[in-house]
Amino acid sequence: MAVIPSLSSKQVKTFMEAAVKEAEAAGKRGEVPIGAVIVKDGQIIASAGNRREEDQKTDAHAEMHAILKANEIMGSWRLEETALFVTLEPCLMCAGAILNARIPLVYFGAQDKKAGAVTSLYSVFDDDRLNHQVKVVPGVLKEESAALLKTFFQGLRAKQKAAKKALKESAARGFEKGAQAEK
């Protein structure tokens, strides 16, 4: 039976704030702002932000990078007696990695209605047929986590709209020059 770490509400807030800082840093690098930290014995042992655009790798999610760093630090693939804090509900890939790493406790901020595998689309951790069980605490710093994502995607849409408008204006100028040249 996995040992589930015992953390105070103050520790939970502190560790999720660290995950939010990782998410903010990822957003500043042009990544979807998702951050994760892994805690053992009341200390952060690994942290990471999303890196899919930077690495151009499908699996470069914040949780995956944090898990790999923690594996390295602990010298083991087993991350028993740890807790994962992540700003967005894990996807199927990350949920699978969490299960395989034997992480017994996951705290997350915002739900992911489009890809969440913990409470939204699926409840992977609730399947008692699996050889490892994960306790989940959703909604920690939910508003902060969701606001980061909302702001990021609003900015992205605004940039895309501006680029589309500039392209149309450029094409229109080119058409006007061509029409004048024909006269």
Side-chain angles (χ1 to χ4, degrees):
M1 186 74 179
V3 176
I4 297 175
S6 178
L7 299 168
S8 70
S9 59
K10 182 180 178 184
Q11 287 175 306
V12 168
K13 185 174 187 267
T14 298
F15 296 138
M16 187 57 87
E17 286 170 345
V20 167
K21 284 182 182 163
E22 286 290 339
E24 290 169 343
K28 287 177 184 169
R29 296 189 316 270
E31 296 285 347
V32 175
I34 301 168
V37 300
I38 295 179
V39 173
K40 179 162 176 52
D41 299 326
Q43 300 292 319
I44 295 173
I45 62 167
S47 61
N50 224 25
R51 295 183 52 98
R52 271 199 338 188
E53 296 302 323
E54 290 171 81
D55 295 354
Q56 285 299 301
K57 292 183 179 178
T58 305
D59 66 348
H61 289 195
E63 301 96 307
M64 299 298 283
H65 277 286
I67 287 169
L68 293 172
K69 285 180 185 178
N71 291 148
E72 202 173 304
I73 287 163
M74 291 183 64
S76 175
W77 63 270
R78 293 177 183 268
L79 300 179
E80 298 166 329
E81 300 180 26
T82 64
L84 170 70
F85 292 78
V86 61
T87 57
L88 183 66
E89 177 183 359
C91 68
L92 277 168
M93 175 182 66
C94 292
I98 291 162
L99 285 163
N100 281 298
R102 307 294 194 263
I103 297 172
L105 180 58
V106 172
Y107 294 87
F108 73 83
Q111 282 189 303
D112 186 348
K113 299 291 185 188
K114 294 182 179 181
V118 178
T119 63
S120 295
L121 292 179
Y122 304 100
S123 298
V124 174
F125 298 152
D126 291 340
D127 191 334
D128 60 7
R129 295 172 296 175
L130 296 168
N131 65 341
H132 176 68
Q133 302 302 304
V134 179
K135 180 180 178 199
V136 178
V137 181
V140 180
L141 297 186
K142 174 181 169 180
E143 290 78 21
E144 293 89 332
S145 298
L148 280 173
L149 291 161
K150 183 178 180 181
T151 300
F152 175 82
F153 285 112
Q154 283 175 337
L156 187 62
R157 283 190 292 275
K159 284 180 190 174
Q160 290 170 339
K161 187 176 179 180
K164 194 174 184 179
K165 182 180 178 185
L167 186 62
K168 281 183 180 179
E169 288 173 356
S170 175
R173 283 193 301 273
F175 178 74
E176 289 171 6
K177 284 183 184 179
Q180 288 175 356
E182 288 180 11
K183 288 183 184 180

